[in-house]
Amino acid sequence: MIKLTKRQDEILEIVKQNGPITGKEIAEKLSLTRAALRPDLAILTMSGNLDARPRVGYFFNDNYEVKLQAKEFIHQKVTDYKAHPIVVEKSTSVYDAIVQLFLEDVGTLYAVDTEGHLAGVISRKDLLRASLGNRNLHELPVSVIMTRMPNIITINPDETLLEAAKKMINNHIDSLPVVKEEQNNTYLLVGRITKTTITKAYLEIMEEKSH
């Protein structure tokens, strides 16, 4: 991304407010000659900030601004947006897990061991599938129905929201456990990130830019 000069920022603002506008008109507003302005206009056009049409003039490239906003969004780190994970012990019954799911109003529960390491993931589908059987849900532990490593898709706090979104879309899941990898292939559970979280983050950034 090209860092713009103060004059280039002023040109952009003029074009935003008055475009399409000719180079002569921009020069007059800045009390400059067209020759002095030509290098700045060339840079702004080549960088994609402005578009130019013969006999029409310069106008602001809205698509460029959207791309800049998107770029700012996709570089945001997971650690800044992760939520508190909703956890259960591996020995928790499926019945209690269903109750927990509804009480917390979430779509996924995370099973952990006594040291807080990720042991499994329990989705709504897992609980529904188990409840449709003829088993005693009070006696059936979630460890029997949960997804275990290495089949759990995780993300670490330093990865970006874009990487989180890609993992969720590519794996057809609604959330990811945020983990820190420790020794012996164990993962400390430190949070969760969901499609809803990512959507909210995107809206926040877009709204900040529009003000």
Side-chain angles (χ1 to χ4, degrees), residues 37-52:
L37 206 58
R38 196 169 291 124
D40 292 313
L41 289 172
I43 288 171
L44 291 172
T45 304
M46 287 188 293
S47 65
N49 286 274
L50 296 181
D51 276 338

Side-chain angles (χ1 to χ4, degrees), residues 8-209:
Q8 289 163 1
D9 281 329
E10 289 175 349
I11 294 169
L12 277 184
E13 193 58 37
I14 288 170
V15 177
K16 274 186 187 180
Q17 301 297 328
N18 303 280
I21 183 172
T22 65
K24 180 182 178 182
E25 291 169 328
I26 296 171
E28 287 173 353
K29 286 181 178 294
L30 291 172
S31 300
L32 296 170
T33 64
R34 291 181 66 185
L37 206 58
R38 196 169 291 124
D40 292 313
L41 289 172
I43 288 171
L44 291 172
T45 304
M46 287 188 293
S47 65
N49 286 274
L50 296 181
D51 276 338
R53 290 179 188 167
R55 294 184 296 277
V56 175
Y58 295 91
F59 56 94
F60 189 72
N61 186 350
D62 292 313
N63 289 333
Y64 181 80
E65 188 161 85
V66 170
K67 286 180 181 178
L68 286 184
Q69 291 171 333
K71 183 176 285 188
E72 182 170 339
F73 160 72
I74 64 180
H75 285 99
Q76 298 295 313
K77 299 293 185 183
V78 166
T79 189
D80 295 324
Y81 291 90
K82 69 183 188 313
H84 185 71
I86 308 303
V87 302
V88 294
E89 294 181 357
K90 293 187 294 182
S91 58
T92 300
S93 72
V94 169
Y95 178 85
D96 288 337
I98 292 172
V99 172
Q100 182 84 336
L101 192 80
F102 279 98
L103 287 176
E104 299 288 349
D105 192 23
V106 292
T108 306
L109 299 174
Y110 301 108
V112 296
D113 61 20
T114 54
E115 296 179 345
H117 294 121
L118 182 64
V121 174
I122 308 109
S123 69
R124 278 199 201 103
K125 287 182 181 179
D126 295 327
L127 296 171
L128 178 61
R129 195 178 297 116
S131 65
L132 290 176
N134 296 318
R135 302 166 180 171
N136 187 336
L137 300 184
H138 289 277
E139 295 181 2
L140 181 67
V142 292
S143 58
V144 174
I145 67 166
M146 70 187 186
T147 301
R148 300 171 177 269
M149 283 297 191
N151 297 317
I152 301 174
I153 309 300
T154 65
I155 195 156
N156 71 58
D158 292 326
E159 289 185 82
T160 65
L161 293 182
L162 176 62
E163 289 162 331
K166 283 181 177 179
K167 286 186 178 184
M168 282 188 259
I169 291 169
N170 291 339
N171 293 283
H172 307 288
I173 52 181
D174 294 328
S175 68
L176 293 168
V178 183
V179 299
K180 288 184 179 179
E181 188 170 359
E182 298 190 333
Q183 295 178 342
N184 303 320
N185 292 322
T186 58
Y187 297 87
L188 183 65
L189 182 65
V190 297
R192 65 184 168 99
I193 193 105
T194 68
K195 285 181 179 178
T196 301
T197 306
I198 290 176
T199 303
K200 285 181 178 177
Y202 182 77
L203 289 174
E204 283 176 12
I205 290 169
M206 289 303 183
E207 286 175 356
E208 284 176 9
K209 286 291 183 181

